[in-house]
Amino acid sequence: SLGPCLAAVKAFKEWMSMSGMPVAPCKDDTLDILEKNLQEQLFLILPNETIKPAEHERDADSALIFLCYPLGVVPDSVGLDILERLKKVMGHIAMCR
């Protein structure tokens, strides 16, 4: 759930820049703080899917691919780690859920 939030913050910042909107409807540093904190928390988990609580820890889930595309919130190196782990959940026809 952190990935879509991070993508939304980045997209809103980009839209503000492109549209010439000078000020977001929040404090000046709110979007930067959100982006920084979301990214930090996401990268504490990745390339795993879930790490807490420990009894629900999972290192692979097909939903992680959305962080690579279309969201584009992970660098290529993390994307490659995600793809490598997804081999565990790949069936002969599609992804196992």
Side-chain angles (χ1 to χ4, degrees), residues 67-89:
L67 299 175
C68 304
Y69 181 85
L71 298 179
V73 294
V74 296
D76 290 346
S77 59
V78 176
L80 289 172
D81 287 341
I82 289 170
L83 289 173
E84 185 64 32
R85 288 178 180 217
L86 286 180
K87 289 179 182 178
K88 296 177 185 179
V89 295

